[in-house]
Amino acid sequence: MSASFRPDIEGLRALAVAGVIAFHFGFTGLPGGFTGVDIFFVISGYLITKHLLAEITETRRLNLWRFYARRARRLLPASLFVILATLVAGAFILSPEEQSLYSRGAMFASAYMINLWLIRWSFDYFAADAASNPFVHFWSLSVEEQFYLAWPALLALAAWLRPGKRGATLVIGIAGLVSFAVCAWLTTVSQPWAFYFSPLRVWEFAAGGLASMVPQQVWQNRPRLAAPLAWLGLALIAGAYLSFSEEAPFPGFLALVPVAGTVLLLLAGSAHAQQGQSAEKSPSAALALPPLQWVGKLSYSLYLWHWPVIVYATMVVPELSPLGRLACLALTLALSVFTYHVIENPIRRNGWLMASAARALVPAVLLTGTSVAAAYANARLAVHDLDPEQRSIAASAAQPSTARAAGCILSFETVTPKACVFGNKDAPRSIALFGDSHADHWSTPLIEAAAKNNYRLVTYLKSSCRASRVTTWNWRLKRDYTECDQWREQSVKDIIALHPHMVVISEFSIGNVMKESPEELKHADGNEEWKTGLRWTLAAFSRAGIKVAVIRDVPYNGSYADKCVARALWRGQVPEVCDTPRDAAANDDIAAAERDVVRSVPGATYVDLTSQFCDAQTCHVFINGQLAFRDRHHLATPFAESLEPLLEKAVF
């Protein structure tokens, strides 16, 4: 063990990985456990900056190849092993389409670029659910690797511009401040960029780097400062773990809490190490306890394994019990112990590989290339020569509605309504379709029905923006959805000016919102404010002499229908395993309240097609050989099209 080894840092790693695992395994007592990743970032910045500056001070140069070789020996073997093992396991658990999609994720993870892939993915409203991606946790490792590539060059530049710690402090400080300022701004404007883009996480590494440069004289002159710093740091981390949640606008200013807490603990640990102070009653001593040292030693392998284990477990057993989650934790520990002792540590300490940088870097490049190639090949082979059922499910889930294919669903940030006209543009009468994506999934059959009856259909559609006049909190923007309020007000005015024969409204119902993202209604008084908002919208059209038809929202299924049905058929099961009990899916009580509101407004009618999805006990996702839903609550376009005769009869 190196003389510079810091037991408190090993304990901090244990604290970080424990928080992440607790969060991902659904232990709700630590809703902010995901901030453990920020602890890792600060630790990396602290250690890497300390080692690189020491080398620059001692040798007046920086051997980049040796640095990269150490990183490759430390990180690559275990990560590539986990990636390939996850791909193999996926062949038995995932449907072919999922294997293809997530193999592309494995390809980017192998090249440590998955954070960039996820930025693009997160902006697609209809993208596959990230919780099903067994490689999504590699985003933080990609950010770290990109940091390792750029940081030595930055420190070398600082040494060239102004030798000594002052130059490095100035450069690191400026880089950190700029990174934080942009990160804080983008967290409220475009959160995925702030979360995944490595330059916008540099400030966390910079915080650790600056902490590593605090002069020893600080502790010599203030011997009693270490313990209060340690306790304050631990309190900040505990506060983040206990009070933060994934709905919070993160990273931004909130990330200052775990970052500051980690910096304080690192500084306190440095003081104890330099002064040889007794730390028996301080957090530094607690972090040095043997159980935390053992977990900290395994932290890298634990981080690699925990996510694919819980993702695959919940795919095989959707309603995983607490006991089942503990079994997953035991499996994660076992896999991590094996990986650490058989792969991670032996390769990291291998004398032949340590003899020269080339001996480590050449195999590293070859292994990375092999993993990328294997993932790419798996992505292609998984969907090669698909059987007709799998091909049909994939095609149904992928087919966009007519309005979405025409680019008529506005993005979150857009506030100006866009009226799209379908059918005979010279038809004497028109119908307006107004609402969110749950209005859009009816666009294909409505356009067909309108054409049959010599109407033109004009759409006013916006992602996650309901026709009911209720201010919601947007789960992607991580803030109040003010753009929706502006768009809705103007759309109502535009529709009234258009004066169509009828307005057709459908929206993600309040009952479904409560199931999927209840935080969206943090400003609403539940059902009452929603009913008031719905009544306002209907009355606005009614006063203008425009008829309104409100289509009841579709059921909210317990699984992602496309994935669940494809997996079931792939495993030789029946699609019915993906069905959901009616009392959990159909929101009958909410629908009754909605029906009462609609009937109270003159000229408004209620269209209920729930019998096409649900019987008295069950709501189905695979009906008459067709996939009914493309995810949990959006109709598959071919199935929606099959409902055109019923919709035509109800509306026309």
Side-chain angles (χ1 to χ4, degrees):
M1 186 175 292
S2 169
S4 62
F5 175 76
R6 290 266 301 274
D8 60 305
I9 292 180
E10 198 79 286
L12 260 178
R13 289 192 179 106
L15 198 64
V17 79
V20 173
I21 292 176
F23 173 72
H24 283 153
F25 275 45
F27 300 139
T28 54
L30 292 177
F34 61 89
T35 58
V37 169
D38 301 272
I39 298 175
F40 279 126
F41 287 166
V42 178
I43 292 173
S44 293
Y46 182 91
L47 293 175
I48 295 304
T49 304
K50 193 177 186 69
H51 293 161
L52 291 176
L53 288 180
E55 183 178 344
I56 292 173
T57 301
E58 292 171 10
T59 66
R60 297 187 180 277
R61 60 189 295 272
L62 191 57
N63 190 328
L64 292 177
W65 296 117
R66 185 170 63 186
F67 170 76
Y68 293 137
R70 286 199 303 266
R71 295 295 88 204
R73 292 198 317 270
R74 171 74 175 88
L75 301 173
L76 273 177
S79 67
L80 296 181
F81 173 68
V82 172
I83 287 171
L84 293 176
T86 304
L87 284 174
V88 171
F92 299 95
I93 297 171
L94 302 170
S95 69
E97 280 290 331
E98 287 178 301
Q99 291 177 48
S100 179
L101 172 63
Y102 300 141
S103 291
R104 292 196 291 275
M107 184 173 66
F108 284 97
S110 299
Y112 289 100
M113 294 174 62
I114 195 171
N115 60 320
L116 305 178
W117 186 60
L118 288 169
I119 290 173
R120 176 182 174 275
W121 210 32
S122 63
F123 281 118
D124 181 359
Y125 179 65
F126 295 99
D129 179 47
S132 300
N133 185 340
F135 301 102
V136 73
H137 65 312
F138 274 85
W139 76 267
S140 64
L141 302 179
S142 297
V143 168
E144 286 213 29
E145 283 296 326
Q146 291 157 24
F147 162 76
Y148 295 146
L149 285 174
W151 203 245
L154 186 69
L155 295 183
L157 175 64
W160 179 73
L161 290 173
R162 185 174 181 178
K165 280 191 174 182
R166 288 188 177 180
T169 302
L170 182 64
V171 171
I172 293 173
I174 291 173
L177 284 172
V178 172
S179 171
F180 175 74
V182 180
C183 176
W185 171 64
L186 276 178
T187 298
T188 61
V189 175
S190 186
Q191 190 261 353
W193 279 95
F195 194 91
Y196 289 122
F197 193 44
S198 53
L200 303 186
R201 292 293 192 131
V202 158
W203 68 273
E204 300 186 43
F205 297 95
L210 291 173
S212 74
M213 300 165 64
V214 174
Q216 294 186 12
Q217 291 85 348
V218 171
W219 311 118
Q220 292 171 354
N221 299 330
R222 300 170 181 82
R224 297 183 179 179
L225 187 60
L229 285 181
W231 284 113
L232 178 58
L234 189 62
L236 288 173
I237 291 174
Y241 276 15
L242 293 170
S243 63
F244 287 8
S245 71
E246 59 185 322
E247 288 82 29
F250 197 86
F253 286 98
L254 287 179
L256 285 170
V257 176
V259 168
T262 307
V263 166
L264 292 176
L265 280 168
L266 288 170
L267 291 174
S270 176
H272 288 128
Q274 290 174 14
Q275 300 299 322
Q277 299 174 19
S278 173
E280 292 179 2
K281 296 182 180 180
S282 77
S284 298
L287 292 172
L289 291 173
L292 289 178
Q293 295 297 294
W294 184 72
V295 173
K297 181 174 64 176
L298 296 174
S299 60
Y300 181 53
S301 290
L302 284 167
Y303 184 83
L304 289 172
W305 278 115
H306 84 281
W307 183 244
V309 166
I310 194 64
V311 165
Y312 283 163
T314 51
M315 287 179 181
V316 175
V317 186
E319 300 298 328
L320 196 62
S321 67
L323 188 60
R325 292 179 187 274
L326 288 175
C328 289
L329 181 59
L331 177 59
T332 300
L333 280 170
L335 291 170
S336 300
V337 169
F338 171 83
T339 304
Y340 178 81
H341 288 290
V342 177
I343 296 171
E344 180 185 341
N345 207 44
I347 295 177
R348 179 187 181 189
R349 306 294 185 191
N350 184 275
W352 187 86
L353 292 173
M354 294 171 69
S356 72
R359 289 187 182 183
L361 289 175
V362 172
V365 171
L366 292 175
L367 281 172
T368 300
T370 300
S371 184
V372 169
Y376 176 78
N378 198 58
R380 300 296 297 271
L381 291 173
V383 292
H384 178 69
D385 198 25
L386 275 181
D387 65 68
E389 272 188 321
Q390 291 288 342
R391 188 176 291 110
S392 173
I393 292 167
S396 295
Q399 183 178 335
S401 68
T402 305
R404 183 152 63 100
C408 294
I409 306 180
L410 300 185
S411 65
F412 297 124
E413 292 82 5
T414 306
V415 298
T416 304
K418 177 182 179 180
C420 292
V421 183
F422 297 91
N424 182 4
K425 293 179 174 56
D426 298 322
R429 295 174 296 182
S430 64
I431 285 181
L433 177 62
F434 179 39
D436 54 18
S437 60
H438 281 227
D440 162 64
H441 63 200
W442 294 109
S443 65
T444 299
L446 271 174
I447 289 168
E448 291 181 15
K452 284 183 182 179
N453 292 272
N454 197 27
Y455 282 82
R456 66 185 188 277
L457 186 80
V458 186
T459 62
Y460 293 82
L461 303 168
K462 181 173 170 63
S463 292
S464 294
C465 188
R466 291 155 193 83
S468 300
R469 196 190 202 191
V470 178
T471 297
T472 58
W473 186 90
N474 187 277
W475 61 282
R476 284 186 181 270
L477 298 175
K478 305 292 183 183
R479 58 177 171 79
D480 287 351
Y481 197 8
T482 55
E483 293 89 343
C484 174
D485 295 337
Q486 296 175 57
W487 173 85
R488 184 192 304 112
E489 298 293 316
Q490 188 58 50
S491 293
V492 170
K493 293 177 182 177
D494 290 355
I495 293 171
I496 291 173
L498 177 68
H499 207 277
H501 176 71
M502 175 183 286
V503 178
V504 177
I505 291 174
S506 192
E507 61 184 14
F508 193 45
S509 81
I510 191 75
N512 287 343
V513 172
M514 290 174 177
K515 291 174 184 174
E516 180 168 89
S517 48
E519 71 281 354
E520 289 191 29
L521 294 168
K522 59 172 62 178
H523 299 304
D525 183 20
N527 291 347
E528 290 308 313
E529 189 162 342
W530 160 69
K531 287 189 286 188
T532 300
L534 176 60
R535 187 176 289 108
W536 180 91
T537 301
L538 299 179
F541 295 131
S542 177
R543 287 193 300 269
I546 302 171
K547 296 179 181 179
V548 185
V550 177
I551 304 176
R552 176 178 172 175
D553 196 17
V554 297
Y556 186 92
N557 300 293
S559 63
Y560 285 79
D562 57 330
K563 296 188 184 70
C564 185
V565 172
R567 283 182 210 144
L569 295 173
W570 179 247
R571 300 173 194 160
Q573 298 172 305
V574 294
E576 284 75 15
V577 299
C578 303
D579 293 342
T580 306
R582 178 170 180 139
D583 58 0
N587 297 306
D588 289 322
D589 54 340
I590 297 294
E594 184 178 54
R595 185 183 293 107
D596 291 342
V597 171
V598 173
R599 288 177 175 173
S600 71
V601 177
T605 58
Y606 196 65
V607 178
D608 190 347
L609 299 178
T610 307
S611 61
Q612 301 304 307
F613 316 105
C614 308
D615 55 35
Q617 287 80 36
T618 307
C619 292
H620 308 281
V621 297
F622 197 71
I623 301 168
N624 297 327
Q626 276 189 301
L627 184 71
F629 296 87
R630 66 170 177 260
D631 51 27
R632 293 186 102 167
H633 49 75
H634 290 98
L635 290 175
T637 299
F639 184 78
E641 196 169 12
S642 73
L643 299 178
E644 186 273 329
L646 291 171
L647 197 60
E648 180 184 7
K649 182 179 179 182
V651 172
F652 293 92

